Amino acid sequence: MAGSRLPQQLFLQGVAAVFMFAFASLYTQIPGLYGVDGILPARKTLRPQGKGRWQQLWETPTLLWEAPQLGLDTTQGLELLSLLGTLLALGALLLRQLRTLLVYLLLWAAYLSAYQVGQVFLYFQWDSLLLETGFLAVLVAPLRQRLHHKQAPQGGLAGALPHEDLPFWLVRWLLFRLMFASALTYHYETQCLPTPASWFTHHLPVWLHKLCVVATFLIEIAVPPLFFAPVRRLRLAAFYSQVLLQVLIIITGNYNFFNLLTLVLTTALLDDGYLTAASGNSHCKKTATSWPRTLLATLSLLLEFAVYGLLAYGTVHYFGLEVDWEQYAIHSRTTFTFHQFSQWLKTVTLPTMWLGMASLTWELLTALWRWTQVRGWLRRLYSAVQLFIIGTATVALFVISLVPYSYVEPSTHGRLWTGVHRLFGTVEHLQLANSYGLFRRMTGLGGRPEVVLEGSYDGQHWVEIEFMYKPGNVSRPPPIVAPHQPRLDWQMWFAALGPHSHSPWFTALVLRLLQGKEPVIRLIQNDVAKYPFHKQPPTYLRAQRYKYWLSHPGEQSRWWRRQWAEEFFPPVSLGDPALDMLLRQFGLQDKSPPRARSSSNILAQALCWVRKQLSPLEPPTLLWGLFAAVGAIRVMQALHSRPRSPRSSPLAKGEKHRPAPKKDSGAANKQAPPARDDCDSSSQTPGRKK
């Protein structure tokens, strides 16, 4: 069986890259979101309540409790964590020596610390997904990296520890839960932050949009069980289908680091054998195979044909696929109702849990078999301890994950053992396992709702306040933002789906804009000069709700069409009783003034200097700059590590015409050992004596 060390290294590098983007993106928004003059100041979330230090840390697990020990307030501590997280993730991405358990534990703890004070702006599902993935990376990462691994037969690695593949299986299980629980002609128009490609894909033929929906159902519901298939080619088919889906989403939508993180999870579908063969490093010679291998290969091929045939039949049957040769189109229609789909979901949810249990049992038996192959009683004892600890942790995390996974089907959720619920409740605040259901239902079928802020000095003449990323000006093309996540723009999309009272933070946003707080203004326009009220804050603010549609082909200089729908937030000004009442109602009033920041703290001064240097850069530019720097360094590393050609070696030049010493051929045959093939030692024959 092929190991998974190479995919694990890809996984660890990918997790480091996502952490780097997530920390850097968050850092750029901290003053406006969580600063003293921010929308939701972080200092309000950490109030000592007279509890013991460890109890306080367990109930609210964040390193920011220790910020005062460094002479920093909560916001400065959050900035320090974000900067250190970015640098540590960058180091793990570039240096293999840093891809260790301790480094990923620090990354996970730092992001969990930010999550605890992030409030609504950090409560996105991909933040929970990153935390869960980050904890799995802690288990996957070794205590220390061994820089050189000897290649073993069948594409594995020599010296592989019995427990190595167990935590990596949890990554595959997480990918399955994510895809299976996330199951569109209007999608490109109504998604949170479209890209320019969204306009073009939106105007593709309707039959092609419907076919895309069919493909999405197929990839997100029918394909995930293949993640646990015993045949490598089936797992590879699942891998490439998931990669295709994520790449298409990246092209047509700004979903920050979510799609990149999902691509990282797909590495769990690969193995050393495939990656070694794909990289051209496999030197296996073809040898005659025994009849059991031939039989197994034949059965695998038959299983593949059966699976592909079943998928094709189910797709054609349940979606009524018909080829229209006259119009060169493929028509589709759903042949089932929502009620039938819900009933089907009830039927399959529990069997998918059993599928996961069966796959995990196989992994445990495989690890146990590998343990029996360990030589030496001391190494076997050490391996047994490791296998017991990692095996117990793997089973525990799998059992815990069943609780949030069962949320997709309430009756199955209620049938789980109560002890599992209690165990999940104990560690739920650590974000070790979460429920996922990203955009199961698309909104805005009658046009995407958008909230447009307006300011005025006299209450009569109103000027729109345009955001950098979300739709506003109908003539401005949608931007490319990923992997940055403008968290205020995303929350504005969610706020537009209901009344403003469902988004209490919006009232705080209005207050800060009326006060003219620059950190909040920079969330709307990083270049303050582009903000219409940069010289003097507006006297009045209000918000209108519009319906937006992508423009039709032929409408020059217009990307959107819009129509006024209703008033979203009434006109208010500072001191307005209506505004004060909303602030009291939502608990947003500053009851105690913030502590004065120490100007003599060297660390605080350093943080202030770094902020001043980076603030002129737009966040996407900063993140893409990091990406470019990583790419340049990796190229330099590759060039530096490339072996020299023997022809360019001075030693080779000096020995080029040196005659080789003559040896007796018989003696040579006696002394030289027989050549061995690294891939199949059983095919070698000893040299015959002359």
Side-chain angles (χ1 to χ4, degrees):
M1 290 174 291
S4 61
R5 277 192 177 176
L6 296 179
Q8 286 180 36
Q9 288 300 318
L10 289 178
F11 170 73
L12 293 176
Q13 290 181 72
V15 172
V18 175
F19 266 124
M20 179 185 71
F21 289 135
F23 277 120
S25 175
L26 178 62
Y27 172 79
T28 62
Q29 305 172 77
I30 288 175
L33 294 179
Y34 307 117
V36 175
D37 296 326
I39 299 174
L40 297 176
R43 64 185 178 86
K44 295 183 178 181
T45 62
L46 295 183
R47 299 282 176 86
Q49 298 178 352
K51 299 179 180 178
R53 184 176 185 179
W54 293 109
Q55 182 183 0
Q56 183 175 260
L57 185 61
W58 171 254
E59 293 180 357
T60 309
T62 174
L63 299 174
L64 295 175
W65 287 115
E66 305 303 319
Q69 304 299 324
L70 301 175
L72 305 176
D73 60 24
T74 305
T75 305
Q76 291 171 325
L78 187 56
E79 288 190 353
L80 179 62
L81 276 182
S82 300
L83 283 174
L84 293 179
T86 303
L87 294 176
L88 192 60
L90 177 62
L93 179 58
L94 295 175
L95 301 174
R96 182 170 180 168
Q97 299 94 318
L98 291 180
R99 293 177 212 141
T100 61
L101 182 150
L102 178 60
V103 168
Y104 285 92
L105 180 62
L106 291 174
L107 289 173
W108 174 78
Y111 205 77
L112 180 65
S113 299
Y115 180 87
Q116 295 298 324
V117 301
Q119 305 167 78
V120 69
F121 292 109
L122 233 68
Y123 288 172
F124 294 97
Q125 291 195 46
W126 36 86
D127 293 311
S128 300
L129 180 63
L130 179 55
L131 284 170
E132 185 170 352
T133 306
F135 190 78
L136 295 184
V138 174
L139 298 179
V140 171
L143 285 173
R144 61 181 180 85
Q145 283 283 359
R146 287 172 287 181
L147 298 183
H148 302 287
H149 292 297
K150 182 180 177 182
Q151 194 71 26
Q154 288 82 39
L157 288 165
L161 299 174
H163 68 272
E164 279 187 351
D165 291 343
L166 286 179
F168 203 47
W169 178 89
L170 287 172
V171 178
R172 192 186 309 177
W173 172 244
L174 173 57
L175 177 65
F176 173 81
R177 287 162 41 216
L178 172 67
M179 301 311 300
F180 192 78
S182 299
L184 301 173
T185 59
Y186 301 97
H187 164 71
Y188 308 106
E189 182 177 73
T190 61
Q191 60 184 315
C192 302
L193 296 178
T195 66
S198 303
W199 187 93
F200 297 97
T201 52
H202 176 73
H203 293 294
L204 291 173
V206 175
W207 68 266
L208 190 55
H209 284 295
K210 292 184 178 181
L211 196 61
C212 290
V213 174
V214 175
T216 302
F217 269 103
L218 183 67
I219 293 174
E220 292 190 346
I221 295 180
V223 170
L226 299 183
F227 297 170
F228 309 105
V231 181
R232 176 190 289 169
R233 285 191 295 265
L234 287 176
R235 295 196 302 272
L236 289 178
F239 167 77
Y240 283 111
S241 66
Q242 301 301 322
V243 170
L244 175 63
L245 176 64
Q246 298 307 317
V247 170
L248 291 176
I249 295 176
I250 290 173
I251 293 173
T252 58
N254 286 296
Y255 288 94
N256 49 80
F257 56 79
F258 163 63
N259 303 110
L260 177 60
L261 183 54
T262 307
L263 287 173
V264 171
L265 294 177
T266 61
T267 58
L269 304 178
L270 304 174
D271 58 46
D272 291 337
Y274 173 72
L275 291 179
T276 303
S279 62
N281 293 329
S282 178
H283 303 289
C284 297
K285 296 180 180 179
K286 292 185 178 180
T287 58
T289 56
S290 59
W291 70 265
R293 285 182 176 274
T294 305
L295 178 61
L296 187 61
T298 304
L299 292 176
S300 299
L301 192 60
L302 291 176
L303 177 61
E304 286 184 67
F305 285 140
V307 169
Y308 296 142
L310 184 62
L311 290 176
Y313 171 78
T315 304
V316 172
H317 175 72
Y318 288 106
F319 294 96
L321 297 185
E322 295 179 356
V323 179
D324 187 341
W325 297 106
E326 294 182 358
Q327 299 182 0
Y328 298 102
I330 301 178
H331 299 294
S332 60
R333 67 184 188 281
T334 53
T335 60
F336 54 88
T337 64
F338 178 77
H339 175 72
Q340 290 173 324
F341 181 78
S342 300
Q343 291 299 117
W344 176 85
L345 193 62
K346 279 186 179 181
T347 305
V348 302
T349 301
L350 191 58
T352 57
M353 294 182 181
W354 287 108
L355 174 65
M357 292 180 189
S359 179
L360 177 56
T361 301
W362 173 258
E363 293 292 332
L364 290 169
L365 292 175
T366 302
L368 190 60
W369 178 83
R370 286 176 175 169
W371 174 76
T372 62
Q373 307 304 306
V374 177
R375 296 289 178 260
W377 69 269
L378 191 59
R379 290 185 60 189
R380 179 172 289 192
L381 177 62
Y382 180 63
S383 297
V385 173
Q386 287 182 309
L387 180 58
F388 175 77
I389 295 174
I390 298 299
T392 302
T394 301
V395 173
L397 285 174
F398 171 74
V399 171
I400 289 172
S401 71
L402 295 178
V403 176
Y405 174 63
S406 63
Y407 289 160
V408 299
E409 210 293 294
S411 63
T412 303
H413 178 75
R415 293 165 63 182
L416 290 177
W417 181 43
T418 55
V420 177
H421 287 279
R422 286 198 297 269
L423 182 61
F424 173 74
T426 303
V427 298
E428 184 178 8
H429 64 296
L430 298 178
Q431 303 297 309
L432 301 184
N434 302 279
S435 62
Y436 303 102
L438 294 162
F439 307 108
R440 290 193 189 120
R441 299 180 183 178
M442 295 311 299
T443 58
L445 298 183
R448 63 174 294 145
E450 280 292 342
V451 172
V452 176
L453 275 166
E454 297 176 341
S456 172
Y457 289 120
D458 56 9
Q460 301 296 324
H461 302 88
W462 296 89
V463 178
E464 291 189 9
I465 298 175
E466 186 174 355
F467 284 65
M468 286 186 288
Y469 309 114
K470 77 181 213 59
N473 186 345
V474 296
S475 300
R476 192 189 65 176
I480 297 178
V481 180
H484 171 60
Q485 183 187 359
R487 295 180 179 272
L488 177 59
D489 294 64
W490 269 83
Q491 283 296 344
M492 289 289 288
W493 183 83
F494 286 106
L497 302 179
H500 72 83
S501 57
H502 290 179
S503 304
W505 59 267
F506 190 84
T507 304
L509 171 65
V510 170
L511 174 65
R512 294 310 189 196
L513 293 180
L514 287 171
Q515 294 172 339
K517 299 300 183 181
E518 183 175 327
V520 178
I521 293 174
R522 284 187 175 275
L523 294 176
I524 297 174
Q525 287 292 341
N526 193 68
D527 184 358
V528 178
K530 295 181 179 180
Y531 181 68
F533 302 98
H534 65 278
K535 294 182 178 180
Q536 180 183 348
T539 307
Y540 302 94
L541 268 180
R542 71 181 185 185
Q544 308 287 348
R545 196 194 324 258
Y546 284 82
K547 293 284 188 177
Y548 274 69
W549 298 268
L550 286 169
S551 63
H552 296 301
E555 296 185 48
Q556 296 182 352
S557 302
R558 293 187 65 183
W559 288 81
W560 297 96
R561 295 176 294 115
R562 76 177 189 180
Q563 179 181 345
W564 181 85
E566 60 183 341
E567 183 180 73
F568 179 78
F569 196 90
V572 293
S573 60
L574 289 177
D576 191 315
L579 178 61
D580 292 340
M581 182 189 69
L582 288 173
L583 293 172
R584 286 195 304 271
Q585 178 182 343
F586 299 134
L588 298 173
Q589 284 186 320
D590 290 330
K591 297 181 180 179
S592 58
R595 295 178 181 177
R597 294 187 175 185
S598 174
S599 58
S600 59
N601 189 307
I602 298 178
L603 186 55
Q605 291 176 355
L607 289 172
C608 183
W609 182 85
V610 172
R611 172 68 63 186
K612 188 177 297 184
Q613 303 306 310
L614 296 179
S615 58
L617 293 175
E618 287 196 9
T621 304
L622 177 62
L623 267 65
W624 280 103
L626 277 174
F627 178 78
V630 168
I633 295 174
R634 294 304 292 265
V635 170
M636 293 173 62
Q637 287 177 332
L639 293 175
H640 179 71
S641 62
R642 188 168 64 178
R644 292 184 176 182
S645 172
R647 295 183 179 179
S648 63
S649 172
L651 180 61
K653 291 180 180 179
E655 295 181 349
K656 183 174 183 181
H657 301 292
R658 184 179 299 175
K662 294 182 179 180
K663 293 183 180 180
D664 180 69
S665 59
N669 284 332
K670 290 180 181 179
Q671 295 176 5
R676 297 180 61 86
D677 181 10
D678 288 338
C679 293
D680 190 359
S681 59
S682 63
S683 64
Q684 307 304 322
T685 57
R688 291 181 291 178
K689 295 182 181 179
K690 292 185 180 179

